[in-house]
Amino acid sequence: MLKHPELAPFAAQSAGRSTYVFPVFTAQQQYGVLAVTKERGQEFPREDVELLRSLTSHVAIALECALAKDCAEQYQRELATERDRLRLLLEINNHVVSKLNIDDLFRSASASIRSYFRNDFTGFWVLEKDSNQLQNVVLDFPDGKGLIADVNSTELTDTDYEKLRTRQSEIWSIEDIGKLPANIASTLKSESIMSVAVAPLATAGGPLGVLAIGSRKPNAFGQQDVDLLSQISIQISLALDNALAYGRLNASAARLEEERLYLESEIKSEYNFGDIVGKSAALRKVLDEIAIVAPTGSTVLLHGETGTGKELFARAIHNRSPRRERTFVRLNCAAIPSGLVESELFGHEKGAFTGALVQKRGRFELADRGTLFLDEIGDISLDLQPKLLRALQEREFERLGSTRTVQVDVRLIAATHRDLQSMIRNNQFREDLFYRLNVFPIEVPPLRERREDIPLLVHFFVLRFSRQMQKRIRSIPKAAMEALVNADWPGNIRELENFVERCVILTQGEELSVPRAELKKTSSRPVVTGASTFEEAERQAIIGALKDASGRISGKGGAAERLGLKRTTLQNKMRKLNIGRADYSG
């Protein structure tokens, strides 16, 4: 027993007995001993001793084989684990290379991660620099209740931020989960998550977000799992950093391109502040009001008949304001289908609706720190008016399909030919929006109230069109000018401009040719200025045109042509204003 201390625990049972000890070994290794005891006074015969010695050698060989098999199986398991680990890293690398869209990368990577770790959920959270919060972008949780995706993290502490920056990966047990912020801990417990492994997404430029995997089994992840997850996070961090940089460059390029297009349209526009022509008292009154309100940032509501040049006055306000170095963005609310006005104003995210193939910034964003001109504001639908009111009051809104609030600094100038107060009484326009728009109202006078400006306007248009058509027109007959001044011009400056253009086309010599017969026809139309509302005035104008056209709506000389409208547009207006054959026949 003294020679074999490993047999000491059996000393009491073998006291007084004969004990035979046989070493168990092979040529490669000593494994131990085989001890056999006999009753007191008894001994093994020599042949039994030889048999036991032979049995010991067989035991040694069998033990060596068994241990070798265990080592081989263990090595095979380690090789399989290493193979699967390398395969996962290769898959992630392939995703990084092949997936240009970061959301697609996250989804593909989460599927590979879940296949390897057999975890219940995989999630990616990206750090919002402005709010210093982690926002979930992709969550792969097939059996989840949808609770984790709805949770926004609380603001990161300095300690949390430092862990992300230094890429400190962690394993959270059920006890660690209980120490998290209450909203996160309760959500994980509601989903029965009992263990979580977290790996920061970060580059040399700073933290980008977090990659987390969770399991409903306790102690599901070990240190090797965290080490592998850290390697994966490094690969994904590089792709995410590149994607964010590309997104910033792309957004900047898109913004510059959009502003360039708008500025080009401004430069090419046929109107600018210098094109306000006239010296009448009515015009001077409007220009005085513009000089007063332009330096402020207040909202302006321009009201006037169609064709009076409301956009021209809106540009004048912008050009005399502190925002003149920024963009002047315009939108005619009546020229866009009502279902698309919201997208045009506030923009939309990719996939927000059918046909939204790319993200688009709305007119409010384009006009940030500039001026937004909304023409025909009375045509905005009641459904959209509350969102417009909020954008004006709070200076913030959300794009279609997005929950992120966009803040802007926009000066609004609105214009309409409608009687908004009448529309309020008819529940067609919100009263609170009207008060928000009506901060500084300006009434734009019709051309008939500034007839002394007509000669100046005629000369201005003749000069412009003659240059465009490369004609030399030196004079305008006095009788023709008197006819132009005395005409009614229900279409105001727009009608005068188009008529002068036609005159320049007809002119063959150096004296302007004016078809005065058309002016007589124009002046013989019923005067609608006494109408109590715009709808009544519009109704009278349509009835007058139908009577002049002998009841014909379309075709040459028909009412649609006389009014400058499409046949379908005129028919829709007739239905809306309840105009029947009895109103214009006979």
Side-chain angles (χ1 to χ4, degrees), residues 219-290:
N219 304 318
F221 308 112
Q223 188 58 46
Q224 289 184 340
D225 296 326
V226 174
D227 293 341
L228 177 57
L229 200 64
S230 298
Q231 289 181 279
I232 294 171
S233 71
I234 292 173
Q235 289 180 290
I236 294 178
S237 295
L238 294 175
L240 177 58
D241 190 40
N242 290 336
L244 292 175
Y246 175 76
R248 288 191 294 269
L249 289 173
N250 197 36
S252 178
R255 180 183 180 88
L256 290 174
E257 177 64 14
E258 289 172 346
E259 289 187 354
R260 183 186 68 81
L261 292 175
Y262 269 101
L263 290 173
E264 282 185 358
S265 70
E266 297 303 306
I267 294 170
K268 294 177 182 177
S269 175
E270 56 182 329
Y271 295 121
N272 53 60
F273 180 61
D275 288 336
I276 296 181
V277 177
K279 58 181 181 179
S280 64
L283 179 60
R284 286 199 303 269
K285 179 177 181 293
V286 173
L287 295 179
D288 288 343
E289 291 175 338
I290 288 175

Side-chain angles (χ1 to χ4, degrees), residues 102-103 106 110 119 121-128 133-141 147-154 156 164 172 183-184 187-188 193 196-202 207-214 229 233 236-237 240 244:
I102 197 64
D103 287 347
F106 286 159
S110 65
N119 54 300
F121 85 81
T122 304
F124 293 88
W125 283 261
V126 173
L127 181 63
E128 291 282 350
Q133 291 187 349
L134 292 171
Q135 301 294 332
N136 180 253
V137 289
V138 168
L139 180 68
D140 182 10
F141 196 176
L147 302 177
I148 295 179
D150 295 333
V151 174
N152 291 326
S153 70
T154 55
L156 295 179
L164 293 181
W172 296 342
N183 61 327
I184 301 175
T187 300
L188 291 175
I193 298 299
V196 177
V198 179
L201 300 173
L208 303 174
V210 164
L211 162 62
I213 59 176
L229 200 64
S233 71
I236 294 178
S237 295
L240 177 58
L244 292 175

